[in-house]
Amino acid sequence: MASQNIYSRKISSKEAKEDFIFVLKNKLPFFPPIGTNFELSNENISREVMVESYPCTCRGPDRPHEHYFISWEGLAAGDKIEIAKDSESKYNLQIKYGFREVFD
């Protein structure tokens, strides 16, 4: 059973391409309210971020809804991330890098 103090997921190609971490709707209470800044740190990088949303009709025009995300650059499809909550406004991001092809 996953800890309630950690949000984890595998980064999709869309997330990697558009530089964001998708946040599942049922995991919103783990983070500060939408639009509220918080500190997200990874190794020597610390950024002020927020959970944001955008309208979507991926389930059809009769089922509009919101998608939630945190902007974060440099992730690749297949990376596994874990966000741990340190305090109400400080979170740590751990990245377990997936397979990345390198072309010469």
Side-chain angles (χ1 to χ4, degrees), residues 72-92:
W72 192 270
E73 295 177 358
L75 297 171
D79 288 350
K80 293 180 183 175
I81 60 105
E82 287 186 351
I83 299 175
K85 186 175 187 177
D86 280 348
S87 69
E88 289 302 312
S89 62
K90 292 187 180 193
Y91 293 72
N92 286 315

Side-chain angles (χ1 to χ4, degrees), residues 7-85:
Y7 177 71
S8 61
R9 66 177 284 105
K10 186 176 180 180
I11 299 299
S12 70
S13 58
K14 180 175 180 173
E15 288 169 288
K17 181 180 177 185
E18 297 180 19
D19 293 324
F20 71 91
I21 298 168
F22 185 72
V23 177
L24 297 172
K25 184 177 182 178
N26 67 334
K27 299 299 183 182
L28 287 173
F30 176 76
F31 297 99
I34 296 169
T36 302
N37 286 334
F38 63 95
E39 183 180 325
L40 185 58
S41 301
N42 171 253
E43 296 176 359
N44 296 327
I45 300 169
S46 183
R47 297 181 187 157
E48 287 288 317
V49 299
M50 69 177 77
V51 175
E52 301 176 69
S53 68
Y54 63 90
C56 184
T57 56
C58 66
R59 296 180 185 152
D62 296 337
R63 298 186 69 196
H65 57 279
E66 299 283 316
H67 283 241
Y68 305 95
F69 68 96
I70 298 167
S71 294
W72 192 270
E73 295 177 358
L75 297 171
D79 288 350
K80 293 180 183 175
I81 60 105
E82 287 186 351
I83 299 175
K85 186 175 187 177

